[in-house]
Amino acid sequence: MERYTLDQVRDRMVHAWDGVHCLAARATMKHLAPLREAPRAPRFLEPADVGRPTRCLEAWWRAPDRWRHDVDGRDGARLSYVGIGDDWWLWQAGIVQWTGTTVDARQQGLTQSDNLSYGRPYLSPAENAQLWLWLNPAIWVASFSLALNNWSAPLRDDVYQDAHIVHVLASEGLEPNRWTGAEQELTERWWIQQWDRDEELGDFANFFQLWVDMRTGFCRRMTAEGANGRQWDILVASLILNDVSHVPDAIFAGPAATP
């Protein structure tokens, strides 16, 4: 079995986007039932969690300035955000709901105080591509302490039997960050507790599990673990890098023109 050091894993995650000129990715996400009140006793995952709906996440990037991110809204209607250069569009259920320029969005402060549900219109397409926990491993490295768990046999729920996919634990409490120099700059650039990140995904989680593919540096699966059970689970079903045939022009014309 291939062995990696923690430094190698961190470095690969930080540089996952290096040299990526196009990307097509698809993931499924399930939010498990949240706690409605302070628990009086240990709580195990309820049977109803098994049947809770999954949400589909999809993303396409083509350098230098084309980005699209789709997500199933909590009401079931799909949100599609597209940025091309200085222009952006937001579709809901295939209908354009909002469009404008990055300059206008910046002046109006659009979505600056909202949870990251589809994108940030005031940022460029390249910046939007870097906002997501499921797509930017550097956020994990900058925001959490990491520990490898690849010293023993694979866990029963690993779902991967692959020597190049390593199991990593991430938590704020494993050890304090004492970064200096380049690592301090990394933390300041990608720290999760900013409105430009998936910061709400870190709520109520004691630690996270990551399955990192060392061939790419990207995560193939991520889970958030709370004191009384799993909070959410993201499984990256498809990740295609630098194959322009999977990122055609039609993708950025919106849902109606998607091939």
Side-chain angles (χ1 to χ4, degrees):
M1 178 178 290
E2 187 77 23
R3 302 298 186 192
Y4 297 97
T5 67
L6 181 58
D7 284 343
Q8 288 174 322
V9 175
R10 293 179 72 248
D11 184 72
R12 195 72 185 92
M13 293 173 72
V14 167
H15 295 287
W17 273 89
D18 290 4
V20 175
H21 57 78
C22 66
L23 170 149
R26 185 179 188 276
T28 54
M29 180 177 189
K30 176 174 284 193
H31 283 276
L32 302 179
L35 292 175
R36 296 176 177 80
E37 59 185 17
R40 298 186 180 91
R43 166 185 171 269
F44 296 92
L45 293 180
E46 301 169 359
D49 285 337
V50 177
R52 288 177 67 86
T54 59
R55 302 172 69 194
C56 181
L57 309 171
E58 291 188 272
W60 297 267
W61 159 252
R62 198 169 79 196
D65 61 359
R66 290 173 178 255
W67 167 252
R68 174 174 165 181
H69 185 272
D70 286 15
V71 59
D72 292 335
R74 297 188 184 279
D75 59 357
R78 170 158 287 209
L79 295 172
S80 299
Y81 176 84
V82 173
I84 301 177
D86 293 327
D87 299 307
W88 59 271
W89 298 261
L90 176 66
W91 283 266
Q92 184 176 27
I95 300 173
V96 175
Q97 300 291 331
W98 215 350
T99 184
T101 67
T102 55
V103 173
D104 292 339
R106 194 173 299 121
Q107 292 173 346
Q108 298 173 44
L110 295 180
T111 78
Q112 286 186 2
S113 59
D114 300 331
N115 287 338
L116 183 62
S117 58
Y118 56 83
R120 299 297 189 207
Y122 58 89
L123 296 178
S124 70
E127 290 170 320
N128 268 277
Q130 301 290 310
L131 301 182
W132 307 89
L133 270 175
W134 74 282
L135 280 177
N136 189 357
I139 299 176
W140 292 106
V141 177
S143 305
F144 301 98
S145 297
L146 305 182
L148 283 182
N149 190 31
N150 67 337
W151 50 271
S152 60
L155 301 179
R156 294 184 65 181
D157 70 341
D158 262 354
V159 306
Y160 299 108
Q161 300 298 320
D162 189 326
H164 296 287
I165 296 180
V166 297
H167 185 236
V168 179
L169 304 180
S171 172
E172 293 179 310
L174 290 175
E175 64 180 30
N177 289 332
R178 299 189 179 92
W179 309 139
T180 59
E183 289 190 325
Q184 178 63 35
E185 294 177 6
L186 175 71
T187 300
E188 292 173 353
R189 182 181 183 189
W190 297 122
W191 190 48
I192 191 176
Q193 293 297 329
Q194 297 181 9
W195 284 111
D196 288 345
R197 309 278 186 265
D198 280 338
E199 63 168 340
E200 66 272 14
L201 290 186
D203 293 344
F204 312 116
N206 289 357
F207 70 97
F208 304 87
Q209 297 189 82
L210 313 176
W211 284 261
V212 180
D213 190 336
M214 289 297 289
R215 287 162 295 210
T216 64
F218 285 88
C219 296
R220 296 299 305 273
R221 185 186 181 192
M222 292 140 275
T223 68
E225 312 295 345
N228 286 279
R230 184 160 293 173
Q231 307 297 318
W232 50 258
D233 196 333
I234 298 175
L235 188 65
V236 180
S238 175
L239 178 68
I240 301 171
L241 303 176
N242 297 335
D243 186 342
V244 71
S245 67
H246 289 272
V247 196
D249 288 338
I251 284 290
F252 304 103
T258 300

